Amino acid sequence: MTDFKRARQTDQKNARRRSLLDAAADLFDTGGPTGAGINAIAAHAGFTKSNVYRYFESREHVLLSLFLEEFEGFSLAVSERIGSLPAGDVGGIADAMTTGFLDRRRLCKLVAIFGTVLEQNVSADTIEAVKSVLGGLTVPLVEAMRQRLPGATTEDCQWAFAMTTSLLAGMWPGVCPSPAAAEVLAKSEFARMTLALDREFKRALEALLWSLVATPRDSAD
């Protein structure tokens, strides 16, 4: 245990918070949400449990903060990729988003438990703050989609991205089966049941995006 002294300056507080988030990321990557408990985070960062509560109200609050960091990187990278595509390149948009998620497996894991785990054991104020930040982080992504999908409105693209994250959350457990399930799925007779994110997710996402181009809805509806 390190000799923790209460941080009083802003840069000291930011450094403490950074240490806790880095510790949570390491633990989450190896042990999932159950491995990233407050006690484990505190020990991994070299703090006491009471020190953690100076910055976060719960384990879920730590993971929500980690989620926002991961999502910010995803949004910026994917927005840039989509912005480089020609208008109407639906397949390219689907590929950019699929690749963006595949590049950030931690984000995928957090998306998969967002409603069932991350929004539990936190206050309504925290949830509101997270959703407000998240709304701002999606703006460049939604705008990039709108500019490349002829006839699609901002509302169309907001809806499409919301459906995209729901699709990812639903598919992720099948993409990452338990060791026993993976052993069964490795058999040739069950190959058709195997989910591959780069294949099924991209295909489903492309179909979703084509629906916006084929039948754009009026933003007033």
Side-chain angles (χ1 to χ4, degrees):
M1 185 71 65
T2 61
D3 181 19
F4 181 88
K5 296 180 180 180
R6 183 178 298 186
R8 299 188 182 279
Q9 302 299 321
T10 299
D11 59 340
Q12 293 175 328
K13 293 179 180 178
N14 289 339
R16 301 289 192 273
R17 191 174 186 277
R18 180 73 266 156
S19 295
L20 292 169
L21 287 173
D22 289 344
D26 288 343
L27 294 168
F28 180 78
D29 289 346
T30 56
T34 57
I38 288 292
N39 288 330
I41 292 172
H44 197 63
F47 298 163
T48 65
K49 183 177 180 179
S50 62
N51 297 147
V52 181
Y53 285 123
R54 297 183 188 280
Y55 301 91
F56 301 99
E57 63 185 82
S58 63
R59 168 197 67 165
E60 290 76 14
H61 190 192
V62 181
L63 296 179
L64 279 170
S65 299
L66 193 62
F67 166 81
L68 289 177
E69 286 193 347
E70 292 290 325
F71 187 85
E72 181 176 16
F74 165 85
S75 180
L76 292 174
V78 176
S79 298
E80 185 176 348
R81 291 177 186 174
I82 293 175
S84 68
L85 298 172
D89 188 357
V90 173
I93 296 173
D95 182 69
M97 295 181 69
T98 301
T99 301
F101 278 119
L102 285 172
D103 287 345
R104 294 170 174 79
R105 292 182 67 86
R106 182 187 298 155
L107 176 61
C108 293
K109 294 176 183 178
L110 290 166
V111 168
I113 61 171
F114 190 87
T116 56
V117 175
L118 301 190
E119 290 191 324
Q120 310 299 317
N121 197 31
V122 288
S123 66
D125 287 343
T126 293
I127 293 175
E128 181 177 354
V130 168
K131 290 187 180 298
S132 294
V133 173
L134 186 59
L137 293 177
T138 61
V139 169
L141 182 59
V142 167
E143 180 60 17
M145 292 169 62
R146 186 194 66 79
Q147 292 181 2
R148 294 297 181 269
L149 293 172
T153 66
T154 297
E155 289 76 13
D156 285 330
C157 296
Q158 288 172 335
W159 171 82
F161 188 69
M163 293 302 99
T164 297
T165 54
S166 295
L167 179 64
L168 176 64
M171 288 183 62
W172 191 253
V175 173
C176 303
S178 67
E183 181 180 345
V184 173
L185 291 170
K187 298 180 179 180
S188 59
E189 62 266 37
F190 301 114
R192 68 186 184 281
M193 299 181 183
T194 302
L195 291 178
L197 202 67
D198 59 344
R199 184 180 64 226
E200 280 78 24
F201 183 71
K202 180 182 176 182
R203 181 179 179 181
L205 182 53
E206 192 167 347
L208 179 68
L209 295 174
W210 270 118
S211 74
L212 302 185
V213 176
T215 56
R217 291 180 292 277
D218 191 301
S219 60
D221 291 344

